Amino acid sequence: HSESYSVTLRRLAMALVTVQLGQCGNQVGARFLDSLFKASREDGAARLFRAENEDAKVDEFGCETVARAVLVDMEPKVVQQTLAFTSDERDTCKDTDRKKKKKSKNKDKKGSLKSQSHSQKNESQLEWRYDDRNTFARQSGSANNWAYGYAIHGPASRDSIAELCRHEVERCDVFDGFLMIQSLAGGTGSGVGTFVAEMLRDEYPRASLLNKVVWPYRVGEVIVQNYNAMLTLSHLYEISDGIVVSQNDHVHQICQRLLGQKRPSFDDLNRVIGRDLAHLFAPSAASASASASKGRSWSPFRHGVPHMFAHPGYRLSTLRSVPQVPTRSKEFSSNSWTHLLKHLHQMTMVNGFMSEGLDWKTTIHDADQLTKSVASVLTLRGRDATDVHSQQLLYQHRPPSKLPRDAYSFAHPSLYAAWCADGSTSDRLAVCSSPTPFDEDDRSAALWSNSQACVGPLDRVLSKAHSMFANR
């Protein structure tokens, strides 16, 4: 009983609500939740999911698993498409349940039939859906205009969106915070998203607020995208606890050069972005750090946010993950931890976003050329991940010169700003792991970094926005 009680407490401590805004936010959110559910349906599913029947247990969700999510857009089409994202699978799930109940009426069936029924029950547990009551849509869009979304649609929609969020928060036993998913380019994701973020900060001042934003392409999309991005970031920087950035240009190249997609669609990009975010949010155990005890369940909100964004002046962070291989090639691929961490470490040093085409001439001793960070979180998943994690803990208090390449090299002082390089290793780097493989990879790793990686794109956005304003 004590063990089940402790498991229940850990699950209760991970209740988060996702707020999806605009076309990009809703589509990325759907891919994120789908990846997360597949990775955590056996353990920790209550983080961002709940039972429609609130008396049901996590392992009895079946096809009644509901995402803790609020969907917002100023046009109904995208919201309807997002709601239909799992409708076909849910219908299949209901048909399976009907057949299972019909067969269970015959008590004289053989054991093989019972085994088949049990298998069908497991299949029904793979499905999830959105709560169609947690949606808000209007009949007119935001015209890709930040000011129109922020000053017109935002105030007009405030009470309705606040009520939807309140209802979902009240369904949480212990509420940790909001994960907002939005684009920086469009009018709804940027303008309405900014207004909703400010509203949530006012309504829930003690709750954590983490914003997942998608950076627009350098060229194209929206003529005023640089205005929208600049205005959104300037507001979020003041109210958000942390901002996680994905750049469309980088994800597009990953799809083309590493995943074999000659003409990546937006859904292809959304899959990659959602997968990386799910890698961070899937259940894992923590090492000893300033924000979590060794071996305890690790939460991106309760432990990650305080570690990553302790300094109020640094809010922009990025995610990198390895391996980056097509789905069709995963069953033929096998990567050692040394190989994966070596590539991820080099990506970190040279600010690379792909595991191929890296500058291998740059080493840890080229301190002036390295991308500096404030804090990082390394997540290991798959075969022997816990053993690698334990091995790394042995090096936690060793001098940087004696750290091996694939063990805590991510905590090397040369990778961090001078003012935080003198602290302990656990202040710079948190490590969490899970023996459960992620997304069909036998081994995978991801690094969440609060670093200089966004400085270049931010300078370009500011420069283009200023140039457009000066030439109007």
Side-chain angles (χ1 to χ4, degrees):
H1 293 290
S2 61
E3 182 179 356
S4 62
Y5 180 71
S6 63
V7 171
T8 300
L9 287 180
R10 288 199 297 271
R11 284 174 173 168
L12 293 180
M14 297 178 184
L16 311 172
V17 175
T18 303
V19 183
Q20 304 174 184
L21 298 122
Q23 178 178 348
C24 177
N26 280 288
Q27 293 175 347
V28 171
R31 286 300 177 186
F32 158 63
L33 290 173
D34 192 50
S35 296
L36 179 64
F37 184 74
K38 291 175 181 177
S40 61
R41 57 178 174 258
E42 296 179 358
D43 180 24
R47 287 177 180 229
L48 288 130
F49 298 91
R50 59 176 172 82
E52 186 173 36
N53 176 9
E54 298 188 10
D55 293 329
K57 297 180 181 179
V58 174
D59 59 355
E60 294 178 355
F61 276 176
C63 57
E64 298 303 330
T65 308
V66 180
R68 300 182 187 272
V70 175
L71 284 62
V72 178
D73 197 11
M74 294 301 108
E75 294 178 325
K77 181 179 179 180
V78 173
V79 171
Q80 293 169 357
Q81 291 174 342
T82 306
L83 289 175
F85 178 74
T86 57
S87 61
D88 293 339
E89 296 178 353
R90 190 169 75 250
D91 291 340
T92 301
C93 171
K94 289 181 179 180
D95 291 340
T96 300
D97 282 346
R98 292 192 193 101
K99 294 178 182 179
K100 181 184 66 175
K101 291 178 181 179
K102 182 177 180 180
K103 291 179 180 180
S104 66
K105 292 180 180 179
N106 191 344
K107 298 181 180 179
D108 297 329
K109 295 293 183 180
K110 296 181 180 180
S112 60
L113 183 58
K114 294 180 180 180
S115 176
Q116 182 181 5
S117 176
H118 178 72
S119 174
Q120 289 173 339
K121 180 180 179 180
N122 287 341
E123 289 179 1
S124 71
Q125 292 175 354
L126 303 182
E127 314 305 332
W128 65 276
R129 68 177 181 84
Y130 286 104
D131 188 340
D132 53 12
R133 297 170 297 181
N134 286 356
T135 63
F136 179 85
R138 299 176 71 92
Q139 294 298 324
S140 60
S142 299
N144 294 321
N145 188 312
W146 183 92
Y148 194 72
Y150 180 80
I152 304 299
H153 281 318
S157 310
R158 186 189 192 282
D159 292 341
S160 298
I161 297 175
E163 189 71 4
L164 293 176
C165 293
R166 183 183 66 82
H167 279 304
E168 195 57 50
V169 168
E170 289 178 349
R171 293 188 179 102
C172 302
D173 293 288
V174 178
F175 175 63
D176 273 355
F178 293 98
L179 171 65
M180 297 186 62
I181 305 178
Q182 62 198 108
S183 169
L184 295 180
T188 300
S190 62
V192 178
T194 301
F195 184 89
V196 172
E198 293 179 344
M199 180 265 291
L200 293 177
R201 175 55 72 205
D202 291 338
E203 295 286 337
Y204 306 90
R206 296 186 179 181
S208 295
L209 180 62
L210 187 65
N211 292 80
K212 173 63 180 179
V213 301
V214 179
W215 206 281
Y217 285 101
R218 290 192 187 186
V219 180
E221 283 203 70
V222 180
I223 187 90
V224 292
Q225 65 181 28
N226 297 301
Y227 280 160
N228 295 343
M230 179 186 65
L231 292 167
T232 303
L233 290 173
S234 65
H235 283 72
L236 294 184
Y237 222 86
E238 297 297 326
I239 59 176
S240 178
D241 291 302
I243 304 170
V244 185
V245 176
S246 289
Q247 298 184 46
N248 271 340
D249 288 298
H250 292 175
V251 180
H252 190 96
Q253 291 190 47
I254 290 173
C255 290
Q256 276 190 325
R257 296 171 57 183
L258 299 182
L259 304 185
Q261 299 161 348
K262 294 182 179 180
R263 295 182 178 179
S265 64
F266 280 118
D267 187 56
D268 294 327
L269 272 63
N270 296 337
R271 286 175 183 269
V272 175
I273 297 172
R275 178 192 181 279
D276 287 349
L277 191 59
H279 197 290
L280 176 65
F281 275 82
S284 58
S287 67
S289 69
S291 57
S293 301
K294 177 183 176 181
R296 296 297 299 274
S297 178
W298 188 85
S299 166
F301 269 58
R302 183 155 294 188
H303 306 127
V305 169
H307 171 79
M308 288 288 294
F309 307 106
H311 194 294
Y314 301 92
R315 296 296 189 204
L316 297 179
S317 64
T318 56
L319 274 170
R320 295 180 175 89
S321 66
V322 288
Q324 298 167 335
V325 296
T327 302
R328 62 180 179 274
S329 303
K330 289 185 178 181
E331 60 179 317
F332 307 104
S333 304
S334 179
N335 296 286
S336 67
W337 284 116
T338 300
H339 174 81
L340 289 176
L341 296 181
K342 178 180 179 181
H343 279 75
L344 187 59
H345 186 264
Q346 195 69 19
M347 291 165 65
T348 304
M349 288 198 300
V350 301
N351 193 22
F353 55 91
M354 294 193 301
S355 56
E356 292 184 2
L358 295 171
D359 176 15
W360 291 100
K361 296 181 180 179
T362 302
T363 68
I364 197 68
H365 303 293
D366 301 320
D368 295 337
Q369 303 179 31
L370 303 181
T371 302
K372 304 296 183 181
S373 300
V374 175
S376 301
V377 173
L378 177 65
T379 307
L380 310 172
R381 301 191 183 278
R383 190 192 312 170
D384 305 325
T386 305
D387 295 337
V388 174
H389 185 171
S390 301
Q391 179 189 14
Q392 289 179 333
L393 294 178
L394 298 176
Y395 298 99
Q396 192 165 358
H397 302 292
R398 287 194 180 186
S401 59
K402 296 185 178 182
L403 291 178
R405 179 76 171 184
D406 59 345
Y408 252 85
S409 55
F410 295 90
H412 198 287
S414 296
L415 293 174
Y416 294 84
W419 56 267
C420 64
D422 295 334
S424 66
T425 300
S426 60
D427 290 336
R428 298 190 296 270
L429 177 69
V431 183
C432 52
S433 63
S434 171
T436 305
F438 182 82
D439 194 30
E440 301 180 14
D441 292 317
D442 60 340
R443 297 181 181 89
S444 62
L447 188 71
W448 184 19
S449 301
N450 184 342
S451 69
Q452 296 174 315
C454 295
V455 172
L458 187 60
D459 282 343
R460 287 193 294 270
V461 165
L462 292 175
S463 176
K464 291 181 178 180
H466 183 270
S467 177
M468 180 178 292
F469 183 78
N471 294 328
R472 65 195 177 108

